[in-house]
Amino acid sequence: MPPSPAHHDLIIIGAGFAGMYMLIRAREMGLSAAVFEKGGDVGGTWYWNAYPGARCDIESLEYSYQFSEELQQEWDWSERYATQPEILAYLNHVADRFDLRRDIRFGTRVTSARFEEAEARWLVESDDGKRGTADFLVAATGCLSVPYTPAIPGLESFRGKVLHTGEWPRAGVDFRGLRVAVIGTGSSGIQSAPIIAAEAEHVTVFQRTPAYSVPAQNRPMDPEQQAGIKARYAEFREANRLQIAGFGSDCPMNEGSALDDNPEIRRATFERYWEEGGLLFLRAYADLLLNPEANAEAAAFVREKIAEKIRDPETARKLTPYGYLACKRLCADSGYFEMFNRDNVALVDVNETPMEEMTETGIRTSEGEIPVDAVVFATGFDAMTGALERIDIEGRDGLRLRDKWKDGPLNYLGLEVAGFPNLFTVTGPGSPSVLSNMVPSIEQHVDWISDCIGWLRANGKRSIEADPGAELAWVAQVNAIADLSIYTHCNSWYLGSNVPGKPRVFSPCLGVPDYNARCAEVAAAGYEGFIVR
Ligand code: NA7
């Protein structure tokens, strides 16, 4: 007989921002916890997405933990927007400082988790044969952690390098002398292509949808600004919690409508917020994401700005974005459009010139073969639900999560699912997650989960799960709120529509302050909307 698996109060899946903080909180509460992590070290998203140019689009001073005043005081950021290596260094510092690695099993991919009703515990199994049982299972599996690669005929026959931005080789890639194809023009393609083009012999960008992008206006960290924020960090964090997406309090939202200003004032306002850079541009007017006409004004402004940067009119035409601004996540770039003025960069619009297949030596399009030595897939992720559905999660009465979610991710508050007692999802579908500053949203969830477990223990309860009625109402509410915005009017990964066959349901919940208030109210009311046994 195989030995009984070790039992813990908690098993945590994933050692990124979420899993690491969950482990810290569990230890503080005196709970035993084991973390199962697929990667070779901590970092999650910031471990895997090590592609050239990877950078956060939320400012460093906000995209960081706030649970420890000492930690936020001692760490210095070197740039306004941190690069992937700097964020990973920060997470390594956190792992060292709190001695986290002793409870993390690296290189361990969880394959299944089964709720054993008689004992009210979860049995977790992994691909390397490690097993464990726990009273509570916390999925800290990330929102963008399963890379999506489109099925291109002939891909297996290609003899060059095949890379995905979301699974970048740890040793890096030497692009010198190579002809490279970059497929995809979301954030990852837009960040990586200019850096690759500066090194490679040639880059061909394959674009399906031209991206709206606003220059990040990245710069070295101003030491005075950093010291100023550190001097009022708690107050700064509180002010950010009250922002619609949980960040940006130092760049206040212009509360008016874009349609109330005359064209001169509107233009001046857009110019001002353009200079702020990146996602902060969306704070130019409060109705940009709500009113299609207001959105059209901002979109026209961005299109004009983009056109000014590109010398070749035909290339400019192809790169001109259309449709709603920021319906797909707005990109923050550093020299993306300017890159197309280089002699070694070409653009293929796959709507006009479809990719037909990959050959041994390149990509055949409707206009002939483009020889390449490396292909970089910047084609995104099976977002929000992908990582959870890759694990064979079996709840009560043999119910499987991937069956339950076949028409979309039913959940309550993005925290729990009916039929899956004591399974918590950190920044799960149904919570603000990717439409907010992820780090404070992670902390809010981990704190809520910790308080919930503490409350269950204090009250002699064994299990908690979402009430089926509450989760139906919640998913309807999340989608009703999204329907008031422009977000449901395009094909984006927020809706799951980037992955063929995935049900089209809007997953993230818009509006951090209301969401946080709701979570607090529910807890204060003895976990209303949950079944507690
Ligand atoms: P995204 O934002 O999902 O972007 C993926 C890109 O890949 C996007 O431009 C897609 O075009 C394109 N794509 C996907 N499939 C294909 C095929 N078959 N052919 C051509 N082009 C394709 O992923 P990212 O990694 O860039 O960014 C994810 C998030 O990470 C980002 O929003 C930030 O939050 C950080 P489409 O637009 O679907 O036409």
Side-chain angles (χ1 to χ4, degrees), residues 108-372:
T108 300
R109 185 173 63 82
V110 172
T111 49
S112 72
R114 192 172 74 239
F115 185 66
E116 298 182 325
E117 191 145 17
E119 295 86 3
R121 66 179 189 188
W122 283 90
L123 168 66
V124 175
E125 295 181 314
S126 62
D127 60 350
D128 61 358
K130 293 200 177 89
R131 302 161 80 219
T133 57
D135 294 346
F136 300 96
L137 179 61
V138 179
T141 40
C143 298
L144 294 158
S145 45
V146 176
Y148 165 70
T149 303
I152 299 180
L155 177 58
E156 62 299 334
S157 65
F158 179 62
R159 290 206 309 256
K161 287 185 206 294
V162 177
L163 302 153
H164 193 292
T165 50
E167 222 163 9
W168 204 256
R170 310 303 312 152
V173 181
D174 184 356
F175 284 108
R176 281 173 302 177
L178 300 189
R179 296 158 304 174
V180 184
V182 176
I183 303 178
T185 55
S187 294
S188 304
I190 279 184
Q191 290 183 335
S192 60
I195 312 284
I196 297 171
E199 184 177 306
E201 184 181 312
H202 189 271
V203 168
T204 307
V205 175
F206 289 81
Q207 168 192 280
R208 186 164 69 184
T209 308
Y212 283 104
S213 184
V214 175
Q217 314 287 15
N218 185 42
R219 50 183 174 262
M221 179 62 73
D222 172 358
E224 272 181 34
Q225 186 202 1
Q226 179 147 240
I229 285 187
K230 284 188 178 185
R232 59 177 174 101
Y233 232 141
E235 188 192 314
F236 180 60
R237 301 288 196 180
E238 180 55 30
N240 281 320
R241 261 194 292 282
L242 300 175
Q243 306 303 306
I244 181 97
F247 69 94
S249 63
D250 276 4
C251 172
M253 175 81 86
N254 181 9
E255 288 300 337
S257 162
L259 305 177
D260 288 346
D261 283 342
N262 68 38
E264 290 73 41
I265 294 181
R266 191 161 54 226
R267 187 168 187 90
T269 306
F270 284 146
E271 286 285 358
R272 205 167 69 242
Y273 281 86
W274 179 267
E275 289 308 316
E276 293 286 348
L279 297 175
L280 295 176
F281 178 73
L282 298 174
R283 297 169 76 78
Y285 288 100
D287 61 348
L288 292 187
L289 298 174
L290 302 174
N291 183 332
E293 288 173 56
N295 187 280
E297 293 290 343
F301 176 86
V302 174
R303 277 197 290 272
E304 226 179 275
K305 287 284 193 189
I306 290 173
E308 286 168 10
K309 296 170 196 258
I310 307 152
R311 282 204 291 271
D312 173 48
E314 179 59 5
T315 307
R317 180 186 67 77
K318 289 181 189 167
L319 286 168
T320 301
Y322 48 82
Y324 290 112
L325 172 81
C327 184
K328 292 175 193 271
R329 192 178 175 99
L330 183 66
C331 299
D333 72 281
S334 299
Y336 172 68
F337 295 105
E338 294 84 344
M339 169 190 75
F340 289 96
N341 296 329
R342 295 176 66 107
D343 293 336
N344 71 333
V345 175
L347 176 66
V348 174
D349 178 331
V350 301
N351 302 296
E352 295 173 6
T353 314
M355 269 187 287
E356 290 178 344
E357 61 169 351
M358 293 200 60
T359 64
E360 288 187 7
T361 51
I363 298 180
R364 193 188 321 280
T365 73
S366 58
E367 291 180 358
E369 182 166 337
I370 299 174
V372 294

Side-chain angles (χ1 to χ4, degrees), residues 275-488:
E275 289 308 316
E276 293 286 348
L279 297 175
L280 295 176
F281 178 73
L282 298 174
R283 297 169 76 78
Y285 288 100
D287 61 348
L288 292 187
L289 298 174
L290 302 174
N291 183 332
E293 288 173 56
N295 187 280
E297 293 290 343
F301 176 86
V302 174
R303 277 197 290 272
E304 226 179 275
K305 287 284 193 189
I306 290 173
E308 286 168 10
K309 296 170 196 258
I310 307 152
R311 282 204 291 271
D312 173 48
E314 179 59 5
T315 307
R317 180 186 67 77
K318 289 181 189 167
L319 286 168
T320 301
Y322 48 82
Y324 290 112
L325 172 81
C327 184
K328 292 175 193 271
R329 192 178 175 99
L330 183 66
C331 299
D333 72 281
S334 299
Y336 172 68
F337 295 105
E338 294 84 344
M339 169 190 75
F340 289 96
N341 296 329
R342 295 176 66 107
D343 293 336
N344 71 333
V345 175
L347 176 66
V348 174
D349 178 331
V350 301
N351 302 296
E352 295 173 6
T353 314
M355 269 187 287
E356 290 178 344
E357 61 169 351
M358 293 200 60
T359 64
E360 288 187 7
T361 51
I363 298 180
R364 193 188 321 280
T365 73
S366 58
E367 291 180 358
E369 182 166 337
I370 299 174
V372 294
D373 308 298
V375 176
V376 174
F377 284 98
T379 42
F381 300 87
D382 183 351
M384 316 299 289
T385 54
L388 290 161
E389 290 182 339
R390 291 297 184 289
I391 303 169
D392 185 16
I393 300 179
E394 190 183 320
R396 261 189 301 102
D397 305 324
L399 178 65
R400 288 198 145 74
L401 189 68
R402 60 171 80 109
D403 292 335
K404 168 149 184 164
W405 281 5
K406 71 179 182 340
D407 298 322
L410 275 172
N411 68 85
Y412 185 42
L413 297 172
L415 279 160
E416 284 225 302
V417 182
F420 298 83
N422 295 354
L423 166 66
F424 295 99
T425 52
V426 183
T427 63
S431 70
S433 66
V434 291
L435 286 181
S436 70
N437 180 357
M438 284 298 290
V439 184
S441 287
I442 283 168
E443 287 181 308
Q444 184 258 343
H445 263 195
V446 168
D447 288 341
W448 191 97
I449 293 165
S450 304
D451 291 349
C452 178
I453 292 173
W455 181 88
L456 293 170
R457 290 266 161 111
N459 288 281
K461 306 290 185 190
R462 289 178 89 193
S463 79
I464 183 166
E465 67 186 277
D467 175 84
E471 68 180 5
L472 277 174
W474 179 247
V475 171
Q477 185 175 333
V478 167
N479 278 270
I481 296 170
D483 282 337
L484 300 174
S485 77
I486 53 98
Y487 278 116
T488 50

Side-chain angles (χ1 to χ4, degrees), residues 12-53:
I12 301 163
I13 311 175
F17 267 103
M20 291 169 69
Y21 181 46
M22 189 70 245
L23 175 58
I24 291 168
R25 285 300 319 264
R27 283 189 189 162
E28 276 172 12
M29 293 170 72
L31 301 174
S32 64
V35 183
F36 288 55
E37 165 58 53
K38 181 172 82 160
D41 207 336
V42 297
T45 288
W46 300 104
Y47 174 88
W48 295 103
N49 285 267
Y51 61 84

